[in-house]
Amino acid sequence: MKRSAITWLALLLAVLLAGCSGGTETVEKPTICVVLKAMDSVHWMSVQDGLEQAAQDYNVSVNILWPSDENDVDAQNTILRDVIASRPDAIAVSPCDSEQVDVLEQAEDRIPCFYIDTRSEQFDFPYIGADNKNIGRLAARALAQEVQTGQIAVIMGNSRQSTHAERLQGFTEELKQYPALELCAVRESETSSYLESMKCMEEILREYPEVKGVFCTSALMVLGAMEEQDKAGADVRLVGVDMQSDAMSGVEDGRILALVGQNGYEIGYQTIRTMVRYLNGEDIEHDVHVETPLITQDNAAEYLEKYLTERGEGND
């Protein structure tokens, strides 16, 4: 069920033809529609893999859709409207904008809804994903232990997405425990992209030449910051988020201090598992959190080998 660079309109047509509501065929197994933010990073591809594997294991039909990029709020809302109109058994959504999910009111009380990876305060739906405030706290501790004193900066993704906002909140709250550290700058990469993160890192290095540490709220962003640091010949301790092989390799060779890991595959898998349990009438937790281990140079090889093996890319 792999999908590559397909427009959301083509994906929507495929879903409607397959029939979120069952189409003309009689389908016994439940149908779940999942609307993600994008499919332009290793994280989202891993989420997709977890969703699809769990759908097989739990014998449900899953249709996965996404807009062209994480900032295309209008396109995502259009997808959601059509998905809701098709009346699937349940819907999971990762909002592009946590403050603009009014469209979900059309599903409230009619179709069970869940948040995957990213939540919104507009509707009190169950959430499956990482504890993002705790991710920020773990990142602050990792930098504080290594840097101890001096200036610290943050490169964060789109602040309208709760994942990045909560990571920043947890980071700044934890940093208060270390008065010798100064949060000198917060730069926002609205697209959470590699190139935009390079630009943010360039600005930080130029404006704060004494900066000693930078927290980036995703793996793609920390890779961009690492590239810019190498280009500038700087020596800044970097901490990122997520599990992907190139970022873990950066930790293993010492170019990245640490990653706070979140397993996209596990997020996808636990989303389907939780939704099926709900549809079966079982009690579920309101917040289902995946583990977020701190990946450092001491354990990076172990996590990298596990990651590659899970995807059939290991040495064995």
Side-chain angles (χ1 to χ4, degrees):
M1 194 183 254
K2 295 290 184 185
R3 303 186 181 97
S4 56
I6 308 173
T7 66
W8 67 262
L9 185 57
L11 282 167
L12 180 57
L13 178 60
V15 166
L16 294 177
L17 289 174
C20 269
S21 59
T24 59
E25 298 181 6
T26 301
V27 180
E28 296 296 333
K29 56 186 180 182
T31 300
I32 292 171
C33 288
V34 181
V35 182
L36 300 177
K37 286 189 256 185
M39 195 56 66
D40 57 0
S41 71
V42 172
H43 174 70
W44 292 118
M45 294 175 190
S46 297
V47 171
Q48 181 187 30
D49 289 344
L51 290 165
E52 292 176 347
Q53 184 59 56
Q56 291 183 32
D57 292 348
Y58 288 94
N59 194 32
V60 297
S61 176
V62 62
N63 294 291
I64 309 167
L65 300 98
W66 58 88
S68 58
D69 64 69
E70 293 194 10
N71 287 327
D72 203 342
V73 179
D74 291 340
Q76 188 186 55
N77 285 337
T78 298
I79 293 170
L80 278 169
R81 287 188 190 94
D82 289 316
V83 163
I84 292 167
S86 72
R87 297 299 296 270
D89 292 287
I91 296 170
V93 59
S94 182
C96 288
D97 189 330
S98 294
E99 298 177 1
Q100 292 188 39
V101 290
D102 300 35
V103 64
L104 291 176
E105 187 175 4
Q106 299 174 22
E108 193 177 24
D109 300 327
R110 295 195 303 131
I111 304 170
C113 292
F114 299 77
Y115 295 122
I116 171 174
D117 184 85
T118 304
R119 73 172 87 229
S120 169
E121 296 298 325
Q122 281 189 262
F123 300 95
D124 190 29
F125 300 143
Y127 165 79
I128 304 97
D131 181 341
N132 287 295
K133 289 182 183 178
N134 191 52
I135 283 177
R137 289 191 287 268
L138 290 171
R141 290 172 200 159
L143 279 174
Q145 183 176 359
E146 176 72 13
V147 175
Q148 298 184 351
T149 182
Q151 294 180 329
I152 299 292
V154 174
I155 301 175
M156 67 178 295
N158 195 320
S159 62
R160 297 189 303 276
Q161 296 177 4
S162 65
T163 46
H164 300 294
E166 289 174 1
R167 289 170 191 174
L168 175 64
Q169 182 180 351
F171 184 85
T172 54
E173 288 175 355
E174 183 65 23
L175 208 61
K176 294 176 183 177
Q177 305 300 316
Y178 306 95
L181 293 175
E182 174 197 354
L183 181 60
C184 63
V186 176
R187 292 289 184 272
E188 182 174 346
S189 171
E190 288 194 3
T191 61
S192 303
S193 71
Y194 184 93
L195 291 176
E196 195 170 348
S197 299
M198 284 185 66
K199 180 180 177 182
C200 290
M201 187 67 176
E202 179 186 23
E203 292 174 357
I204 289 169
L205 292 173
R206 183 177 66 251
E207 296 174 24
Y208 303 94
E210 301 300 318
V211 67
K212 293 185 177 181
V214 175
F215 170 45
C216 302
T217 60
S218 81
L220 194 60
M221 291 162 62
V222 80
L223 288 168
M226 181 184 74
E227 176 70 18
E228 183 58 37
Q229 169 167 272
D230 290 349
K231 178 181 170 184
D235 182 20
V236 178
R237 296 293 180 245
L238 302 173
V239 174
V241 184
D242 292 332
M243 289 181 177
Q244 62 184 64
S245 57
D246 46 3
M248 285 189 280
S249 294
V251 174
E252 190 176 16
D253 64 23
R255 298 168 73 198
I256 298 172
L257 174 65
L259 291 171
V260 185
Q262 65 163 356
N263 191 324
Y265 180 94
E266 188 66 15
I267 291 174
Y269 196 95
Q270 291 300 327
T271 295
I272 296 297
R273 178 179 179 272
T274 301
M275 296 171 79
V276 169
R277 289 182 60 211
Y278 178 88
L279 292 173
N280 288 340
E282 299 179 41
D283 291 333
I284 63 168
E285 296 180 5
H286 190 271
D287 294 320
V288 178
H289 289 146
V290 299
E291 293 184 3
T292 53
L294 186 67
I295 302 172
T296 65
Q297 195 168 27
D298 291 337
N299 60 17
E302 174 187 347
Y303 277 104
L304 180 58
E305 178 61 25
K306 180 181 178 182
Y307 175 90
L308 294 175
T309 300
E310 287 176 347
R311 286 151 183 79
E313 304 173 30
N315 295 324
D316 296 335

